[in-house]
């Protein structure tokens, strides 16, 4: 069965430091992978996606994600965190039926 | 502005009182979907629609109905709400490829927080 795992409920990082939010997936065939962000009292916003091509994908707000096929991972990264990056982050994979399967979310807290 | 709108944003109701949450998109998207978000469970799909008059069950369809009479609208209907349907609900839409699949990201509405007493 297709699935997505986000092993960390919360990630804490100091402003200016690099951040990583982890995601691993299990899917048959080639994965279509997505990252979304949810700010308080807002809907989900698309950050970036991997369909094919370069393993390093760049997205909105300075975020990027690295697709690693051998480790079945798609970790979200940013070189220098901002306090305004504090939010709930969801990794998702599109399965063969075109359904988006979401992880349980990781709350990112960036401290000044 | 391209957007997905939902109404109401907040709703408190009582068990058994029928309600409808509306969803509308102005991007001419074929695909629309409803999710519920619960702590520790992420987002789970309730129903989706690939086009007008085409709807299908997601992972957690029990207790919900949908309809897709027009391309832009995809209302979620709770015929007899129960407390376990207290949740945060999101509508989403997306375009489809020429081949009929979803390559693109989904656009989400702002959410509807429903409380069933």
């Amino acid at each position: 069965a297709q699935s997505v795992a986000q092993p960390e409920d919360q990630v804490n990082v100091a402003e200016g430091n690099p951040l990583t939010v982890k995601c691993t997936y299990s899917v048959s065939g080639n994965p279509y992978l997505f990252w979304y962000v949810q700010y308080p009292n807002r809907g989900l916003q698309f950050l970036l996606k991997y369909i094919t091509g370069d393993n390093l994908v760049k997205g909105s707000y300075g975020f990027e994600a690295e697709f690693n096929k051998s480790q079945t991972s798609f970790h979200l990264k940013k070189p220098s965190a901002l306090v305004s990056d504090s939010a709930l982050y969801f990794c998702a994979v599109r399965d063969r039926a075109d359904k988006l399967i979401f992880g349980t979310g990781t709350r990112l807290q960036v401290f000044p | 502005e391209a957007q997905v709108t939902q109404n109401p944003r907040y709703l408190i109701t009582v068990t058994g009182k029928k309600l409808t949450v509306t969803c509308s998109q102005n991007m001419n998207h074929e695909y629309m979907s409803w999710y519920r978000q619960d702590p520790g469970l992420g987002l789970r799909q309730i129903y989706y629609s690939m086009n007008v008059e085409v709807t299908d069950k997601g992972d957690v369809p029990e207790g919900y109905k949908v309809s897709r009479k027009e391309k832009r609208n995809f209302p979620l209907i709770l015929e007899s709400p129960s407390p376990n349907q207290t949740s945060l609900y999101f509508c989403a839409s997306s375009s489809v490829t020429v081949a009929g699949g979803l390559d693109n990201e989904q656009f989400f509405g702002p959410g509807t927080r429903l409380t069933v007493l």
Side-chain angles (χ1 to χ4, degrees), chain A residues 10 12 20 22-23 30 34 55 68-69 73 87 91 103 107:
Chain A
Q10 180 152 333
N12 299 318
T20 298
K22 295 179 180 177
C23 172
N30 295 322
F34 301 82
N55 289 342
N68 188 316
K69 189 172 183 178
S73 67
C91 181
R107 187 165 300 282

Side-chain angles (χ1 to χ4, degrees), chain A residues 16-38:
Chain A
N17 282 359
L19 69 88
T20 298
V21 182
K22 295 179 180 177
C23 172
T24 58
Y25 65 90
S26 173
V27 63
S28 303
N30 295 322
Y32 285 22
L33 296 157
F34 301 82
W35 274 103
Y36 286 84
V37 59
Q38 184 181 23

Side-chain angles (χ1 to χ4, degrees), chain B residues 68-115:
Chain B
R68 188 89 182 274
K69 293 184 170 59
E70 305 165 283
K71 198 172 187 179
R72 63 182 294 125
N73 296 323
F74 191 45
L76 179 69
I77 304 156
L78 285 72
E79 293 271 2
S80 182
S82 62
N84 64 12
Q85 293 178 298
T86 293
S87 187
L88 181 58
Y89 291 87
F90 289 102
C91 181
S93 72
S94 176
S95 58
V96 301
T97 65
V98 172
L102 292 183
D103 268 341
N104 298 320
E105 65 272 21
Q106 293 187 24
F107 293 80
F108 284 80
T112 295
R113 186 166 292 282
L114 172 65
T115 302

Side-chain angles (χ1 to χ4, degrees), chain A residues 42-73:
Chain A
R42 302 283 295 278
L44 277 72
Q45 296 179 32
F46 168 77
L47 273 181
L48 51 80
K49 65 183 177 185
Y50 173 83
I51 305 295
T52 187
D54 289 342
N55 289 342
L56 187 64
V57 179
K58 293 191 183 296
S60 308
Y61 313 122
F63 283 92
E64 57 190 28
E66 186 169 12
F67 171 66
N68 188 316
K69 189 172 183 178
S70 62
Q71 297 184 7
T72 61
S73 67

Side-chain angles (χ1 to χ4, degrees), chain A residues 32 34 36 38 41-46 49 51 88 90 94 97-105, chain B residues 9-10 31 35 37 40-43 45 50 59 88 90 100-106 108-110:
Chain A
Y32 285 22
F34 301 82
Y36 286 84
Q38 184 181 23
N41 299 314
R42 302 283 295 278
L44 277 72
Q45 296 179 32
F46 168 77
K49 65 183 177 185
I51 305 295
L88 187 57
F90 289 97
R94 197 198 84 181
D98 277 339
K99 186 172 68 176
L100 264 188
I101 299 170
F102 286 87
T104 53
Chain B
R9 293 289 313 278
Y10 302 90
Y31 178 92
Y35 298 88
Q37 182 183 5
L41 296 176
L43 277 80
Q45 190 179 50
M50 294 298 290
D59 293 319
L88 181 58
F90 289 102
L102 292 183
D103 268 341
N104 298 320
E105 65 272 21
Q106 293 187 24
F108 284 80

